[in-house]
Amino acid sequence: MIKRVLAVILCVFICLCAVGCTGEETTLKKFYDKVSENKLLLDLLAEKVYSDGRELFGSDGFGGSIQDAMRSAQSDRADDIKEIKAADNEIVEIFRSVRKSKYSELTKKVMDAYSAYLEAVTDVSETFESYLDVTRSLKKELERLLRELSYEL
């Protein structure tokens, strides 16, 4: 009788551990997917802002100010930026669930790289010449960390 009770307790414990691990991995996968999806939107926005800014730079309306041209391009893409920032709120919520998991160090690095890329793309503070270089550099770092995270899935 005692052996049966111990066997049942052991089975319940193993099942609970399996469910807990699966839940953690599911949340990690959700984090990875959401960051990857938003990264693609950021990639498109960065390219649009750069090309729009390049196009506007030559127009007379900006008096040669690349900052004005870049801000104008971003205001033209305001809906894209709103969509990205809305998804960002969801990413932050998911991150809160995975930041204390066994993958915490890696997820924190991914979140830091993602946040830096988000800021560089949506808040122009670079010159026209460096905008593309900065965003591409941050994009590559985020891609590297996402690839590393994908190995854990």
Side-chain angles (χ1 to χ4, degrees):
M1 179 70 168
I2 291 178
K3 287 183 182 180
R4 256 190 202 170
V5 170
L6 289 175
V8 169
I9 291 173
L10 182 60
C11 286
V12 169
F13 178 75
I14 290 172
C15 289
L16 289 175
C17 286
V19 168
C21 292
T22 303
E24 184 177 284
E25 290 169 2
T26 300
T27 305
L28 184 65
K29 174 87 169 97
K30 189 175 180 182
F31 175 72
Y32 170 84
D33 289 343
K34 215 44 169 157
V35 171
S36 296
E37 288 170 15
N38 223 30
K39 184 202 139 315
L40 292 176
L41 292 173
L42 286 167
D43 294 347
L44 293 172
L45 180 61
E47 291 298 326
K48 286 178 185 177
V49 167
Y50 179 78
S51 65
D52 287 0
R54 193 171 203 20
E55 186 177 302
L56 293 169
F57 184 63
S59 69
D60 294 337
F62 296 100
S65 169
I66 191 57
Q67 293 298 339
D68 290 343
M70 296 299 277
R71 283 187 196 97
S72 174
Q74 284 189 323
S75 71
D76 290 346
R77 306 295 183 190
D79 290 340
D80 294 339
I81 293 171
K82 284 179 186 175
E83 183 180 342
I84 287 167
K85 290 194 175 188
D88 180 56
N89 291 334
E90 191 175 342
I91 289 169
V92 169
E93 286 302 313
I94 298 168
F95 174 68
R96 288 183 180 143
S97 299
V98 296
R99 71 178 172 194
K100 293 183 181 177
S101 70
K102 65 182 179 181
Y103 306 106
S104 65
E105 186 177 327
L106 182 54
T107 56
K108 286 177 185 175
K109 287 179 183 178
V110 169
M111 192 65 184
D112 287 344
Y114 163 76
S115 296
Y117 186 46
L118 172 71
E119 185 175 337
V121 172
T122 59
D123 298 324
V124 176
S125 61
E126 303 297 323
T127 64
F128 181 72
E129 294 79 21
S130 65
Y131 179 79
L132 189 60
D133 292 336
V134 168
T135 55
R136 283 190 176 161
S137 172
L138 292 170
K139 173 184 170 179
K140 285 180 183 179
E141 176 64 8
L142 180 56
E143 287 172 343
R144 183 187 69 74
L145 290 167
L146 283 170
R147 188 171 40 256
E148 191 176 328
L149 183 59
S150 74
Y151 298 146
E152 303 298 332
L153 301 176

